[in-house]
Amino acid sequence: MKKREVHASVKDEKLVRMRRNQMIKGAVNLFKEKGFHRTTTREIAKSAGFSIGTLYEYIRTKDDVLYLVCDFIYDEVKERLQKDLEMNKGTLESLKLTIAYFFQVMDDMQDEVLVMYQEAKSLSKDALPYVLKKEIEMVRMFEQVIARCVKNGELSISEHQIHLAAHNIFVQGQMWGFRRWALQRIYTLEEYIELQTELLLNGLSLNPALKTST
């Protein structure tokens, strides 16, 4: 599925990226506070630091802003994760480190994650499938990490179980953002990472030889 094109009247690609990044940051704060539907484009422009006229040089509709916000969040998470996953060695220890790193990224971007979950339903029909596809692509990154552990004999689970385990990791990381009103009253980030990692790995079937050795 092709990336949705957001039209801009400005032709300077560097300037378009800069202005849209300003727009995204301003919109995230507003969407978190007021929601997508109650936020106006004039408010987004003001929060971004430029006029409503300037705003419409880089987008056509408010829907474009929501799409750009969701697209940015997924791209940012994927880029940061990719650097970590490239170093993954297919061991349980490296899987733990990957989970911890992902949860830390979710902590860094918890406002963005919250907005995405609250407002993704408001995406247009042509934008929503593309954004959801990007989420599935990120889940596949965790599938690859778990599959390496299986290949190395560190885990003994089926391909079907690998898919579900990857989704579990992804959702548990995001939960730190959209359930923070409850979780952060009880746990520090470090405690949350430790407990969730323990629960996630205990839900996977360790190689019998490894069980005996531990």
Short mmCIF file of all heavy atoms in Angstrom, two decimals, residues 1-7 20 60-68 71 123-128 130:
data_model
loop_
_atom_site.label_atom_id
_atom_site.label_comp_id
_atom_site.label_asym_id
_atom_site.label_seq_id
_atom_site.Cartn_x
_atom_site.Cartn_y
_atom_site.Cartn_z
N MET A 1 0.84 -1.20 0.00
CA MET A 1 0.00 0.00 0.00
C MET A 1 0.88 1.25 0.00
O MET A 1 1.80 1.36 0.80
CB MET A 1 -0.90 0.01 1.24
CG MET A 1 -1.89 1.15 1.28
SD MET A 1 -3.07 0.97 2.62
CE MET A 1 -3.96 -0.48 2.07
N LYS A 2 0.58 2.15 -0.92
CA LYS A 2 1.41 3.34 -1.07
C LYS A 2 1.14 4.35 0.05
O LYS A 2 0.05 4.44 0.57
CB LYS A 2 1.13 4.00 -2.42
CG LYS A 2 1.61 3.20 -3.62
CD LYS A 2 1.35 3.96 -4.90
CE LYS A 2 1.85 3.17 -6.10
NZ LYS A 2 1.59 3.88 -7.38
N LYS A 3 2.19 5.10 0.36
CA LYS A 3 2.07 6.18 1.32
C LYS A 3 1.12 7.23 0.77
O LYS A 3 1.18 7.58 -0.41
CB LYS A 3 3.46 6.80 1.55
CG LYS A 3 3.50 7.86 2.64
CD LYS A 3 4.91 8.39 2.75
CE LYS A 3 5.00 9.49 3.80
NZ LYS A 3 5.71 9.07 4.98
N ARG A 4 0.25 7.73 1.62
CA ARG A 4 -0.68 8.77 1.19
C ARG A 4 0.10 10.05 0.93
O ARG A 4 0.93 10.46 1.74
CB ARG A 4 -1.73 9.00 2.27
CG ARG A 4 -2.67 10.14 1.95
CD ARG A 4 -3.61 10.38 3.11
NE ARG A 4 -4.37 11.60 2.91
CZ ARG A 4 -5.18 12.12 3.81
NH1 ARG A 4 -5.35 11.52 4.97
NH2 ARG A 4 -5.84 13.23 3.57
N GLU A 5 -0.18 10.70 -0.17
CA GLU A 5 0.49 11.95 -0.50
C GLU A 5 -0.25 13.12 0.13
O GLU A 5 -1.46 13.27 -0.03
CB GLU A 5 0.55 12.14 -2.02
CG GLU A 5 1.36 13.36 -2.43
CD GLU A 5 1.47 13.51 -3.94
OE1 GLU A 5 0.99 12.61 -4.66
OE2 GLU A 5 2.03 14.52 -4.38
N VAL A 6 0.49 13.94 0.88
CA VAL A 6 -0.06 15.17 1.46
C VAL A 6 0.49 16.33 0.65
O VAL A 6 1.69 16.58 0.65
CB VAL A 6 0.31 15.31 2.95
CG1 VAL A 6 -0.24 16.62 3.51
CG2 VAL A 6 -0.23 14.13 3.75
N HIS A 7 -0.37 17.01 -0.05
CA HIS A 7 0.07 18.05 -0.98
C HIS A 7 0.50 19.32 -0.24
O HIS A 7 -0.08 19.71 0.77
CB HIS A 7 -1.06 18.39 -1.95
CG HIS A 7 -1.42 17.25 -2.86
ND1 HIS A 7 -0.69 16.92 -3.97
CD2 HIS A 7 -2.44 16.35 -2.79
CE1 HIS A 7 -1.24 15.87 -4.56
NE2 HIS A 7 -2.30 15.50 -3.87
N ARG A 20 6.36 20.91 8.79
CA ARG A 20 5.46 19.83 9.20
C ARG A 20 5.84 19.24 10.54
O ARG A 20 4.97 18.85 11.33
CB ARG A 20 5.41 18.75 8.11
CG ARG A 20 4.59 19.18 6.91
CD ARG A 20 4.50 18.12 5.84
NE ARG A 20 3.60 18.54 4.77
CZ ARG A 20 3.42 17.87 3.63
NH1 ARG A 20 4.10 16.74 3.41
NH2 ARG A 20 2.57 18.31 2.72
N ARG A 60 -3.68 20.50 3.22
CA ARG A 60 -4.93 20.98 2.65
C ARG A 60 -6.08 20.93 3.65
O ARG A 60 -6.98 21.77 3.60
CB ARG A 60 -5.30 20.14 1.41
CG ARG A 60 -4.39 20.41 0.22
CD ARG A 60 -4.89 19.68 -1.02
NE ARG A 60 -4.08 20.02 -2.19
CZ ARG A 60 -4.30 19.52 -3.40
NH1 ARG A 60 -5.28 18.66 -3.61
NH2 ARG A 60 -3.53 19.87 -4.41
N THR A 61 -6.06 19.92 4.54
CA THR A 61 -7.14 19.76 5.50
C THR A 61 -6.58 19.39 6.87
O THR A 61 -5.42 19.00 7.00
CB THR A 61 -8.11 18.64 5.06
OG1 THR A 61 -7.41 17.37 5.14
CG2 THR A 61 -8.61 18.86 3.63
N LYS A 62 -7.44 19.48 7.89
CA LYS A 62 -7.05 19.07 9.23
C LYS A 62 -6.77 17.56 9.26
O LYS A 62 -5.93 17.09 10.04
CB LYS A 62 -8.12 19.45 10.24
CG LYS A 62 -7.67 19.27 11.70
CD LYS A 62 -8.68 19.83 12.69
CE LYS A 62 -9.91 18.97 12.78
NZ LYS A 62 -10.79 19.36 13.92
N ASP A 63 -7.48 16.80 8.43
CA ASP A 63 -7.23 15.36 8.34
C ASP A 63 -5.78 15.08 7.95
O ASP A 63 -5.19 14.09 8.41
CB ASP A 63 -8.15 14.72 7.30
CG ASP A 63 -9.59 14.64 7.78
OD1 ASP A 63 -9.82 14.82 8.98
OD2 ASP A 63 -10.48 14.42 6.94
N ASP A 64 -5.21 15.94 7.11
CA ASP A 64 -3.80 15.78 6.72
C ASP A 64 -2.89 15.85 7.95
O ASP A 64 -1.91 15.11 8.04
CB ASP A 64 -3.39 16.87 5.74
CG ASP A 64 -3.96 16.66 4.34
OD1 ASP A 64 -4.37 15.53 4.03
OD2 ASP A 64 -3.98 17.64 3.57
N VAL A 65 -3.24 16.73 8.88
CA VAL A 65 -2.41 16.89 10.09
C VAL A 65 -2.44 15.60 10.91
O VAL A 65 -1.40 15.12 11.37
CB VAL A 65 -2.89 18.07 10.95
CG1 VAL A 65 -2.01 18.21 12.19
CG2 VAL A 65 -2.87 19.37 10.15
N LEU A 66 -3.63 15.04 11.11
CA LEU A 66 -3.74 13.80 11.89
C LEU A 66 -2.96 12.67 11.22
O LEU A 66 -2.26 11.91 11.88
CB LEU A 66 -5.21 13.40 12.03
CG LEU A 66 -5.48 12.11 12.81
CD1 LEU A 66 -4.91 12.19 14.22
CD2 LEU A 66 -6.98 11.82 12.86
N TYR A 67 -3.06 12.58 9.91
CA TYR A 67 -2.30 11.56 9.18
C TYR A 67 -0.80 11.75 9.38
O TYR A 67 -0.06 10.80 9.66
CB TYR A 67 -2.64 11.61 7.69
CG TYR A 67 -1.70 10.78 6.85
CD1 TYR A 67 -1.82 9.39 6.81
CD2 TYR A 67 -0.67 11.37 6.12
CE1 TYR A 67 -0.95 8.62 6.05
CE2 TYR A 67 0.19 10.61 5.36
CZ TYR A 67 0.05 9.24 5.33
OH TYR A 67 0.93 8.49 4.59
N LEU A 68 -0.33 12.99 9.28
CA LEU A 68 1.09 13.27 9.46
C LEU A 68 1.56 12.93 10.87
O LEU A 68 2.67 12.43 11.06
CB LEU A 68 1.38 14.75 9.16
CG LEU A 68 1.28 15.18 7.69
CD1 LEU A 68 1.37 16.70 7.57
CD2 LEU A 68 2.36 14.52 6.85
N ASP A 71 1.73 9.05 11.06
CA ASP A 71 2.83 8.60 10.21
C ASP A 71 4.17 8.88 10.88
O ASP A 71 5.08 8.04 10.90
CB ASP A 71 2.74 9.28 8.85
CG ASP A 71 3.61 8.61 7.80
OD1 ASP A 71 3.60 7.36 7.73
OD2 ASP A 71 4.28 9.33 7.04
N LEU A 123 -8.93 8.87 11.39
CA LEU A 123 -8.24 8.93 10.11
C LEU A 123 -9.21 8.65 8.96
O LEU A 123 -10.18 7.90 9.12
CB LEU A 123 -7.11 7.90 10.07
CG LEU A 123 -5.85 8.24 10.87
CD1 LEU A 123 -5.01 6.98 11.06
CD2 LEU A 123 -5.03 9.31 10.17
N SER A 124 -8.94 9.23 7.82
CA SER A 124 -9.78 9.01 6.65
C SER A 124 -9.65 7.56 6.18
O SER A 124 -8.69 6.86 6.51
CB SER A 124 -9.38 9.97 5.53
OG SER A 124 -8.04 9.72 5.13
N LYS A 125 -10.61 7.12 5.37
CA LYS A 125 -10.64 5.73 4.90
C LYS A 125 -9.42 5.35 4.08
O LYS A 125 -9.00 4.19 4.06
CB LYS A 125 -11.91 5.49 4.09
CG LYS A 125 -13.18 5.49 4.93
CD LYS A 125 -14.40 5.19 4.08
CE LYS A 125 -15.67 5.18 4.93
NZ LYS A 125 -16.88 4.90 4.12
N ASP A 126 -8.83 6.32 3.40
CA ASP A 126 -7.65 6.01 2.60
C ASP A 126 -6.38 6.02 3.43
O ASP A 126 -5.38 5.40 3.06
CB ASP A 126 -7.51 7.00 1.43
CG ASP A 126 -7.28 8.42 1.90
OD1 ASP A 126 -7.90 8.82 2.90
OD2 ASP A 126 -6.48 9.14 1.26
N ALA A 127 -6.40 6.69 4.59
CA ALA A 127 -5.20 6.80 5.42
C ALA A 127 -5.10 5.68 6.46
O ALA A 127 -4.00 5.20 6.76
CB ALA A 127 -5.17 8.15 6.12
N LEU A 128 -6.24 5.25 7.01
CA LEU A 128 -6.21 4.27 8.10
C LEU A 128 -5.55 2.95 7.72
O LEU A 128 -4.70 2.47 8.48
CB LEU A 128 -7.64 4.03 8.61
CG LEU A 128 -7.77 3.06 9.80
CD1 LEU A 128 -6.93 3.54 10.98
CD2 LEU A 128 -9.22 2.90 10.20
N TYR A 130 -3.20 2.33 5.60
CA TYR A 130 -1.76 2.55 5.48
C TYR A 130 -1.11 2.62 6.86
O TYR A 130 -0.06 2.00 7.11
CB TYR A 130 -1.49 3.83 4.71
CG TYR A 130 -0.06 4.27 4.73
CD1 TYR A 130 0.90 3.64 3.94
CD2 TYR A 130 0.37 5.31 5.56
CE1 TYR A 130 2.23 4.02 3.97
CE2 TYR A 130 1.70 5.69 5.59
CZ TYR A 130 2.63 5.05 4.81
OH TYR A 130 3.94 5.44 4.87
#
